[in-house]
Amino acid sequence: MVKAIHTEKAPAAIGPYSQAIQAGDFLYVSGQIPINPQSGEVVDGIANQTKQVLENLKAILNEADTDFSKVVKFTIYLSSMENFAEVNEIYGSFLAEPYPARATVEVSRLPKDVLIEMDVVVYTK
């Protein structure tokens, strides 16, 4: 069974995709960028952008009746690895052990020229 997840507490999809898809015991959350869902604007600075992305993910997870403790895989996309340490510190403040698996990659460009994007895979059982 496949079910789309949507919340007004996270930015609406910018294209033909869902905020998240529940597929059996797994939830696949689309990449989130640092758009404030109330204003529709990108927040400034890597610290604020990282926090906003994590808050957007949290809102989607909450809509699916789950949370960060069930995340099994994070992928973090950075416009510059120069921001890695600051992102890592903020990211860690949202999580508890056991930490999920993670990949962090530097990319040449992200939507709306943001500094960071994250997506997650959740095991809901």
Side-chain angles (χ1 to χ4, degrees):
M1 181 174 142
V2 174
K3 175 185 171 191
I5 304 296
H6 175 75
T7 179
E8 297 295 325
K9 296 177 181 175
I14 300 173
Y17 62 90
S18 298
Q19 288 175 329
I21 291 289
Q22 180 84 45
D25 293 340
F26 287 90
L27 179 70
Y28 299 89
V29 182
S30 294
Q32 294 299 301
I33 61 174
I35 294 175
N36 178 307
Q38 285 76 41
S39 69
E41 300 296 321
V42 172
V43 299
D44 291 330
I46 190 61
N48 289 333
Q49 287 196 8
T50 302
K51 290 173 191 168
Q52 185 66 62
V53 166
L54 288 159
E55 290 295 339
N56 293 345
L57 288 168
K58 183 177 176 183
I60 295 167
L61 296 177
N62 287 341
E63 184 68 22
D65 296 321
T66 191
D67 58 39
F68 285 125
S69 72
K70 299 287 190 172
V71 173
V72 295
K73 176 70 170 23
F74 259 88
T75 305
I76 302 174
Y77 308 90
L78 297 174
S79 63
S80 172
M81 277 294 180
E82 296 293 321
N83 294 323
F84 180 84
E86 189 169 4
V87 167
N88 200 48
E89 183 175 329
I90 295 165
Y91 162 89
S93 73
F94 278 74
L95 303 171
E97 291 188 39
Y99 298 118
R102 182 179 84 184
T104 304
V105 295
E106 180 178 286
V107 296
S108 64
R109 194 169 180 201
L110 291 164
K112 297 187 174 278
D113 292 319
V114 300
L115 304 174
I116 187 168
E117 180 174 355
M118 293 185 201
D119 63 58
V120 297
V121 177
V122 181
Y123 183 63
T124 59
K125 289 294 178 186

